[in-house]
Amino acid sequence: MSQKEIVYVLSDSIGETAERVVKAVAVQFQEEEVEIRHTSHVSKKEDIEETIQKAKSEHSILVYTIVVDHLRDYLNKRAQEENITAVDLLAPLMEVFVRKFEREPSHTPGLTHVLDEKYFRKVDAIEFAVKYDDARDIDGIKKADIVLIGVSRTSKTPLSMYLAYRGFKVANIPLVPEVPAPTELFELPKGRCIGLVITPDNLNAIRKERLKKMGLQANASYAQMDRILEELDYAEKIMKRIGCPVINVSNKAIEETANEVVDILDL
């Protein structure tokens, strides 16, 4: 069995980007014959010097993603002095960006990892909103960043999803006179729950349209004004008992309501 070729990967962050590129290339040369060794979170010259000495003794290649200028310059200088092949994966594209955008980069390490964390937080929030939509699981009330309550057709679900896309875990609970409100709602700390209300006329029009799309009669109890007033009155009593802020969603875009929620709860 032939000895593995060693590639040192250096980064002032985790080093995932460099590792992916090295593996993509290594697979073209029988990946199992290449060993990748990491030096992550490079923050001082001593970190680089240690790897330089190892790479020199093992006749290895250095591949790096370092955005801090003085560290990158030091690595390049030492690699040349020791006759080590060093490949800067970011510099060529960075230079193109500088020319195109006509401004300098921030030279801040770890930004990719920060973006990844935001992405996964967003995914978790969306999965949370789906799981705890429409009171499917009452346990979501205590786990949520935001709990939305209101009668049917007050935009609870689309608002939950929009807020989830912004990274907030949202549970929503419909308020129905015949169904007791979950006790968990009254145990929530202040600043976690928002009540959604709407004018009776707007709700009547929305519900009639909903029935029409479902192929049902528009004069069903669901869309009758007496029923609507009863539901709104019940919801108002629950919201007062909880003591939560209330937003009137009549004729408001989801984005506008979402901004109000975030502002009111100071998130």
Side-chain angles (χ1 to χ4, degrees), residues 104-136:
E104 289 298 313
S106 67
H107 299 293
T108 305
L111 291 182
T112 302
H113 185 57
V114 171
L115 292 174
D116 286 345
E117 285 182 345
K118 288 181 179 179
Y119 170 77
F120 287 116
R121 186 166 65 245
K122 185 186 297 183
V123 170
D124 286 343
I126 292 171
E127 290 177 349
F128 186 96
V130 171
K131 182 176 181 179
Y132 297 109
D133 179 46
D134 207 29
R136 290 177 186 169

Side-chain angles (χ1 to χ4, degrees), residues 54-92:
K54 290 178 181 177
K56 178 183 177 182
S57 66
E58 294 163 342
H59 306 287
S60 303
I61 298 171
L62 287 179
V63 177
Y64 62 96
T65 52
I66 294 179
V67 297
V68 179
D69 280 343
H70 75 276
L71 293 176
R72 187 178 64 249
D73 292 344
Y74 180 79
L75 193 157
N76 285 329
K77 173 176 172 291
R78 291 293 294 122
Q80 289 177 6
E81 289 173 351
E82 301 294 351
N83 197 29
I84 298 171
T85 301
V87 181
D88 185 347
L89 293 180
L90 300 183

Side-chain angles (χ1 to χ4, degrees), residues 6-25:
I6 297 171
V7 177
Y8 280 93
V9 168
L10 294 89
S11 175
D12 44 21
S13 183
I14 295 175
E16 292 174 326
T17 301
E19 182 178 0
R20 289 194 192 104
V21 174
V22 170
K23 283 184 174 180
V25 174

Side-chain angles (χ1 to χ4, degrees), residues 220-239:
S221 170
Y222 177 70
Q224 288 182 0
M225 190 60 75
D226 307 3
R227 173 63 183 180
I228 286 172
L229 292 172
E230 178 189 2
E231 289 186 33
L232 290 174
D233 182 60
Y234 171 75
E236 183 181 356
K237 289 176 181 176
I238 295 295
M239 292 172 194

Side-chain angles (χ1 to χ4, degrees), residues 77-229:
K77 173 176 172 291
R78 291 293 294 122
Q80 289 177 6
E81 289 173 351
E82 301 294 351
N83 197 29
I84 298 171
T85 301
V87 181
D88 185 347
L89 293 180
L90 300 183
L93 188 57
M94 195 84 76
E95 290 171 5
V96 171
F97 273 47
V98 169
R99 290 197 299 271
K100 178 64 176 177
F101 298 154
E102 297 182 345
R103 61 176 183 270
E104 289 298 313
S106 67
H107 299 293
T108 305
L111 291 182
T112 302
H113 185 57
V114 171
L115 292 174
D116 286 345
E117 285 182 345
K118 288 181 179 179
Y119 170 77
F120 287 116
R121 186 166 65 245
K122 185 186 297 183
V123 170
D124 286 343
I126 292 171
E127 290 177 349
F128 186 96
V130 171
K131 182 176 181 179
Y132 297 109
D133 179 46
D134 207 29
R136 290 177 186 169
D137 188 339
I138 299 302
D139 286 344
I141 293 175
K142 291 186 177 180
K143 299 175 183 177
D145 300 319
I146 305 168
V147 178
L148 303 176
I149 60 174
V151 302
S152 174
R153 313 315 296 176
T154 47
S155 302
K156 295 186 301 299
T157 295
L159 181 57
S160 295
M161 296 306 299
Y162 184 85
L163 287 166
Y165 186 76
R166 291 177 60 173
F168 299 108
K169 293 183 177 179
V170 187
N172 72 77
I173 309 294
L175 299 179
V176 184
E178 292 77 18
V179 180
T183 56
E184 289 85 352
L185 282 177
F186 306 104
E187 298 168 357
L188 280 173
K190 296 292 183 183
R192 291 269 295 283
C193 183
I194 288 283
L196 304 178
V197 298
I198 189 172
T199 63
D201 288 341
N202 274 317
L203 186 54
N204 176 253
I206 291 170
R207 288 190 173 183
K208 282 183 176 179
E209 185 61 27
R210 174 66 174 167
L211 290 171
K212 181 179 177 182
K213 288 181 179 178
M214 295 174 65
L216 302 174
Q217 295 294 322
N219 60 358
S221 170
Y222 177 70
Q224 288 182 0
M225 190 60 75
D226 307 3
R227 173 63 183 180
I228 286 172
L229 292 172

